[in-house]
Each structure stands twice: as structure tokens, then as C-alpha cells.
Amino acid sequence: MRTVTKILCLSLLCLFVMACQEDDEDPTRELLLETGEIELSPGSSAEIEVVSGFRKITARSSNEDIVKAEVVDNVIRLTALEFREYAEVIVYVSDGLLSRTSLLVRVANFGGLRVAQEKVVLPQLQTTDTLQVTGLNKGYAITASEPGIAELSVVGDQLVIKARKRGKTVVTIEDKYSGSAQVEVDVEGAKMSLDFGDRIFGYAAFDEIAVVDKSVRSLQQVTFEMTCKLDGYRGLQTFMGLEGQLIVRGKNDDYREDHPIQIAGLGDRIMLESTRSFNLHEWLHIALVVDCSQAAVEDQYTLYINGVQDPLIIRRNEEAHRQIDLASSNDGNRFVIGRAYGQDWRVIRGMVSEARVWTVARTATQIAENQCELKEMSPEGLLAHWDFSSGVSTDHIPDISGGKYASDLKLSDARKNGMYYPMTVPKELFLTETCE
């Protein structure tokens, strides 16, 4: 009897202990992991703790060729196999009561983005270099410390860098998972000029800017600048401007004795010309400043030739500008350099080194100090700046103003019967001779 009693007591004691253990393992507890996602590099491993769950924990990988999963003492051990691309694997976890949860495992070479070169030197404007990028290509983002120096793009796994402006910048390329890499970019190149001859002209579309910024349609001040070297005279030879609105041009044919610079505007209702003639076969800097806030016509229009103000002769004064619309002209609303109104005989004869358009009235000092090359770092009011120093055959001259809007100058064939077809100008027409 005593033996039976002892056995019963021991049995009750065991049942009590088991009941206590089951109380510790509350079957109502949620199956929880310490994290719901993790990143692994190929060949690495990690452990994820099971925070709560009921008894027997199991883990199964959705792709065991990439990630293996096993459970040891309520810890899920993950091992990423060698893998060169990017992958996402789901590890399904369950417990003794069939509660389920999952773990997202991203496998990639995190922090491993690389670029083939750490430094690139581009020898001339518009030249290009292409660098191999080793990464995941999961939405590359590209930034530059000086954004206007080069055009940047990614094509597949290639970083394309195209020189736009002389200077230096640091390019950073990154994606979401591979990290980032940097490339130093140095754009060099001699100052050059484009030989327009009598067959090339260029045009820009400021009306495209006007779609988003209407201020270019009602400016109170503008400045047009051009550096050129002419080898022939021609009546109404076009320098630059807006036909029918405000244009700078040569007045007379070569048989005339004088060859003034002419300014015409508002359908020729305002007509002015320089006191002295311009010379051939030497570098010439022309700057026209218009300030509509001035009451007198002689104060409203100012012309500088080689940095020196040239008194303007008023030939017609039926109307003066109250404002200037850079998005309107009788030339299809184009701003032109080298030909106007589709008339081939009005083409420029010579070379052009630089051209600039401003939305402010530049001062005499500013004009004199920046004739051949713009030396100011962040000038106010620079709308467009074209440097004719391309090192490749091209159909355009980039706008290097670095402003809010870019208005590249499209190049076209002046001999195509008044048309505006794009023209790829051979690099041989870009000459190292330039203003100094």
C-alpha cells in the first residue's frame, strides 16, 4: 500500500511540473522574430532569434540555392550562398501550433559598387568617356559637385560622361543596395572658334523657356554679346538677335565705304547704327545693352565695340522698346546667330568664339573685363552662354550658363533654302584660333 501511495505521489508531482512547463510555453503567444528582414552578402551567414512561439520551430527557404535556413535552439541560422546578382528570398517560419511568419532575406554584394576609373580627363568640350560600373543597377542615382561641368547618364552598366564646360567636378554614383562610388572629372581643352564661313548658322528656342517661365517675354533689360572675326562684308549680315524684335547686324555690302553695326527692332521702327565701322580680319567683341527703364532713346540703347562704348546714331525712332520678348521673332520665334529670316544671303561671314544672352543690363566695366572669355564665377542674369570650342563633330553648341534652363544652340546649314534642318558640323571647322 505504501508503495502504491508513493507511486501516486510521484505521478502527481510529474503532472504538476509538466503543467508548469506548459504554462511557460503559452500556446496563445504570437510567433515573433527579432526582425522581419535582413541583408546578407554572398557567402555570409547570420542568426535570427525567435522571440516567442510555441515549441517546435521550423524554417524553410523559398530558394535553397541562394539561402539555406535551419533552426538550432530557437535561433534561425541563415547562410547565403555565392551569388553574383541581387535576390530576395523568403524564409517561412512556423511553430508547433502551426503559427506562421516570414523573414525577407536580401542577398547582394552590399557596399560593393565600383567604377572602372577613379579619375577621367576629357580633353575638349563635348568629348565623351564611358566607364564600366559594377553594381546591382537597382536604380542608379548620379550627382555631381559641380553639375554644369559634364552631362551624366547611365546606359545599362555604363556610366557616360560628356564634357560640357571647362572645370572640375566629382561625380557620385550610387544605388540602393550596392553603396556608392566616386569619379573625379576634369574637363580641359583649348579655347576654340567655329568657322561659320557663309554656310552655317545657329538658333535657340527661348520660347521653350517661356512655357514655364513667362518672365522672358517681358524683360526690362537685356544684353547681347558676341566675339567674332569676320572676313567679309554683306548688307544685313546677321550677328545675333531676334528678327523683327531686336537684332544686331552689319549694314552695308563690301562696295560701300562705311560698314557700321546696325541695331534694328520692332519691325524696323527703331533703327540705330554705330558711329564707326567694324574691321575685318581681327577679333571683334560686340555688346548691345538695352534698358527699357531709361526715358531717352539714346540712354535706352548702348553699344560697345571691343569693350569701348560707341555712340549710336539714331536713324529711325518711330517706337522704342517698352519691354523685350526673347521668345518672339519673325524667324519662327527663334533667337538666331549667323542668319536671319531664312535668308541665305544674310549669313555671317567669319568665325565665332563666344556668344551670351543676359536678362540684365551689363555695365561697361563688366563688358570690358569679359570680352574674350567670361571670367565671373556666378554672374547674375546669364540666360545663355555658348562656347564654340567643340572637340568633336556636332549638331549643337551646349549652353554652359549653368542657369535654371539650358538652351543649346542648334546648328544648321544656311544653304538649305531658308530651312532649319539640323547639321552635323565636322570637327575640322572648330579652330584653335580665337580671341585673346
Side-chain angles (χ1 to χ4, degrees), residues 44 53 69 80 89 112 115 128 134 158-159 201 208 213 220 252 264 269 283 308 336 375-376 396 398 408:
S44 67
V89 175
V115 182
T128 302
T134 302
Q158 304 287 321
L159 172 61
F201 73 101
E208 295 177 359
D213 187 349
Q220 286 296 297
N252 292 330
R269 292 189 295 278
W283 284 101
V308 179
V336 294
K375 300 173 184 177
E376 299 172 35
H396 72 282
D408 291 350

Side-chain angles (χ1 to χ4, degrees), residues 295-314:
V297 171
E298 55 268 27
D299 298 326
Q300 188 172 346
Y301 303 89
T302 308
L303 180 69
Y304 297 87
I305 299 177
N306 294 332
V308 179
Q309 183 176 346
D310 189 273
L312 285 171
I313 301 170
I314 302 172

Side-chain angles (χ1 to χ4, degrees), residues 31-34 48-53 57 71 74-76 93:
L31 176 59
L32 294 175
L33 308 181
E34 65 174 290
I48 303 297
E49 181 183 354
V50 179
V51 177
S52 67
I57 306 297
V71 179
N74 278 7
V75 172
I76 303 172
V93 183

